[in-house]
Amino acid sequence: MTTSYETMYILRPDLGDEQAEQAIAKYQNLLRDQGAEDIQIQNRGKRRLAYEIKKHRDGIYIQLNYSAPATAIAPFERAMRLSEEVIRYLTVKQEIGEEKPPKEEKEKPTKVAAPVPVPVPVSV
């Protein structure tokens, strides 16, 4: 059974365009070897990091959307963890809801506010 995943990873900013493309192809091929399908790659480009990671202030952001068996994620993340070119990664399992017919809503009773007590003048 395949599940949809999204992986965002950050490459070192000092990689050239050719080296970045090689890294992207490397991880794409690794996913394919593990049985992933429908791989969509989005190169988000070089951006400023929110905080310094491994003495880098910038990074090249890459987003992958794909369908893969659950067993494909561990070897994929292990390769990223051991790589010198990846400084951070995150894989998220995407919940894709099935189309369900809309349920008929029952009429809910409306809440009526309690009457506000009015002070009555007291004569002595």
Side-chain angles (χ1 to χ4, degrees):
M1 184 170 103
T2 60
T3 308
S4 294
Y5 293 95
E6 177 181 308
T7 299
M8 177 74 82
Y9 60 97
I10 305 172
L11 297 173
R12 286 191 346 244
D14 58 349
L15 296 177
D17 291 337
E18 189 175 311
Q19 290 173 318
E21 290 299 323
Q22 288 175 352
I24 293 168
K26 171 182 163 183
Y27 295 116
Q28 181 181 8
N29 292 334
L30 183 63
L31 276 175
R32 272 209 189 97
D33 293 344
Q34 296 295 325
E37 300 171 343
D38 302 328
I39 301 173
Q40 299 171 358
I41 301 171
Q42 295 178 14
N43 186 340
R44 302 285 182 168
K46 188 182 284 191
R47 297 181 184 258
R48 176 70 98 184
L49 300 172
Y51 52 89
E52 197 171 287
I53 302 174
K54 296 183 182 177
K55 300 186 181 182
H56 296 290
R57 295 293 301 159
D58 297 319
I60 302 170
Y61 283 70
I62 310 296
Q63 179 181 343
L64 294 174
N65 293 335
Y66 53 94
S67 299
T71 57
I73 304 305
F76 177 62
E77 287 189 342
R78 183 174 190 278
M80 287 188 168
R81 185 172 45 250
L82 297 175
S83 173
E84 300 260 335
E85 55 205 12
V86 177
I87 57 176
R88 190 69 95 228
Y89 63 90
L90 176 69
T91 301
V92 179
K93 181 179 175 182
Q94 292 183 330
E95 298 292 329
I96 299 178
E98 298 175 8
E99 292 291 325
K100 295 181 182 178
K103 295 180 182 178
E104 292 181 21
E105 293 187 26
K106 296 179 183 176
E107 284 189 33
K108 296 180 183 176
T110 58
K111 293 184 180 179
V112 178
V116 178
V118 178
V120 178
V122 179
S123 55
V124 180

